[in-house]
Amino acid sequence: MILIDGKKAAAELRAELKEEVAELKSKHNKVPGLTVILIGDLTPSQIYVRNKEKSANEVGLKSEVIKYPDSIEEKTVLEKIQELNSDETVSGILVQLPLPKHIDKQKVIEAIDPSKDVDGFHPMNVGNLSSGYESSIPCTPLGCYLLIKKIEPNLSGKKAVVVGRSNLNGKPMTQLLLKENCTVTITHSKTKDLKAECLEADIIVAAVGIPELVRGDWVKKDAIVIDVGINKTDNGIVGDVHFDEVSKNAKALTPVPGGVGPMTIACLLKNTIDCFKRSQI
Ligand code: GUN
């Protein structure tokens, strides 16, 4: 069984991106800039944002974090986004989710200029991805996709099962696999026989948020299994896949932690650089 090392893959991607930033700097005399807006003091969000900033600095991006208290008015956030939209030094804008209840998430997402939407959440980018046009691609599914391609460069005709239908993961993951000519089944909490669906799959991406849902006898021999889950349990953090059982069947499997997680941030940096490159044409 191949244990997919997301930490190593992310470090390799960051090294490539660092070189690319240096080349862009010598060509354009400026570097891509990432601005993250963090509202409130949720600990996981603070940790994510700190990691994003650290990684952005590591590859040589210009990085800025704007922090607001929980009580901030929606209007102030929307005005700040408008300001960042017209700031030429800002290539990418990310508003860390979740947001406080009084702020309309969709309004915030739609306020971001689609060409600076490094999350790929703007409806324009969602539409472009589903139409097969160039777009920003949500960072977690992009990270999963890159890990899958490392194991199996030719995905044409493979059967893929995506467990979970979120806008963040399941739906964009499906689009990426479709683009690679996979036959994709999207499953979710109302799927009748999830085990039977998974047993058909050459590739399983589990992004449903249920601890250790995917069991060893759900997985065909030599399937590639990608675990997006991060679930807090009494036994610590576990994924959506039962690691010990599935590792006996799968050809390749991502661990939690150290699988998909590190790739997500590296892909955010990639998206920022890609937004910058598109803006220079
Ligand atoms: N919160 C958890 N994951 C994400 C993400 O990918 N993007 C944003 N903006 N917020 C998040």
Side-chain angles (χ1 to χ4, degrees):
M1 209 267 310
I2 302 168
L3 182 64
I4 302 175
D5 188 343
K7 264 192 183 168
K8 182 160 165 263
E12 285 167 6
L13 179 55
R14 283 199 305 274
E16 283 170 30
L17 296 174
K18 191 173 176 175
E19 272 185 31
E20 197 172 0
V21 171
E23 281 166 23
L24 290 169
K25 190 175 178 182
S26 62
K27 189 169 168 198
H28 299 285
N29 205 24
K30 53 187 174 185
V31 295
L34 172 66
T35 298
V36 174
I37 297 179
L38 173 62
I39 303 171
D41 50 15
L42 282 179
T43 311
S45 292
Q46 285 177 331
I47 296 170
Y48 284 136
V49 169
R50 209 177 310 134
N51 287 337
K52 285 170 186 172
E53 196 180 16
K54 191 171 143 246
S55 305
N57 287 328
E58 187 191 320
V59 304
L61 299 182
K62 186 174 92 62
S63 153
E64 179 191 24
V65 178
I66 298 170
K67 290 183 181 161
Y68 290 123
D70 246 326
S71 57
I72 193 77
E73 274 189 61
E74 182 183 276
K75 185 167 161 282
T76 313
V77 179
L78 295 174
E79 282 168 4
K80 176 50 85 177
I81 292 172
Q82 291 309 331
E83 188 189 314
L84 297 170
N85 282 343
S86 34
D87 183 339
E88 273 190 21
T89 69
V90 175
S91 323
I93 303 167
L94 179 144
V95 180
Q96 183 68 26
L97 303 177
L99 296 173
K101 280 201 179 67
H102 68 279
I103 298 182
D104 183 338
K105 180 175 86 174
Q106 201 57 22
K107 249 193 200 170
V108 167
I109 288 172
E110 290 184 23
I112 298 171
D113 181 331
S115 70
K116 296 190 177 190
D117 168 33
V118 280
D119 263 325
F121 294 166
H122 191 288
M124 176 102 94
N125 282 318
V126 176
N128 278 340
L129 177 61
S130 73
S131 304
Y133 302 141
E134 190 167 48
S135 68
S136 280
I137 298 165
C139 305
T140 300
L142 179 57
C144 295
Y145 166 81
L146 294 174
L147 291 176
I148 295 167
K149 288 281 281 186
K150 262 184 192 273
I151 302 292
E152 182 57 72
N154 181 7
L155 300 177
S156 188
K158 301 279 183 203
K159 282 194 177 173
V161 169
V162 177
V163 188
R165 56 175 153 182
S166 70
N167 292 335
L168 210 78
N169 291 307
K171 284 182 200 156
M173 191 70 238
T174 300
Q175 298 297 351
L176 290 172
L177 292 165
L178 264 181
K179 245 179 150 170
E180 290 289 320
N181 299 317
C182 288
T183 303
V184 191
T185 303
I186 312 178
T187 64
H188 46 77
S189 57
K190 303 286 191 296
T191 297
K192 281 259 164 64
D193 191 346
L194 199 47
K195 177 180 172 181
E197 299 292 346
C198 287
L199 271 170
E200 295 284 316
D202 302 308
I203 299 158
I204 297 174
V205 180
V208 72
I210 302 175
E212 299 179 322
L213 175 73
V214 178
R215 307 298 298 243
D217 61 354
W218 291 29
V219 175
K220 195 164 82 172
K221 185 123 193 64
D222 288 337
I224 298 172
V225 182
I226 305 292
D227 190 351
V228 181
I230 302 177
N231 306 295
K232 260 192 200 158
T233 70
D234 294 340
N235 300 324
I237 303 273
V238 300
D240 293 351
V241 174
H242 195 296
F243 185 87
D244 288 345
E245 288 182 10
V246 172
S247 62
K248 295 192 173 74
N249 271 357
K251 170 162 120 188
L253 172 63
T254 58
V256 176
V260 173
M263 281 301 278
T264 296
I265 294 187
C267 287
L268 170 66
L269 310 177
K270 175 173 162 39
N271 280 351
T272 306
I273 294 166
D274 288 345
C275 285
F276 174 87
K277 288 197 295 195
R278 288 195 286 265
S279 75
Q280 298 304 308
I281 294 166

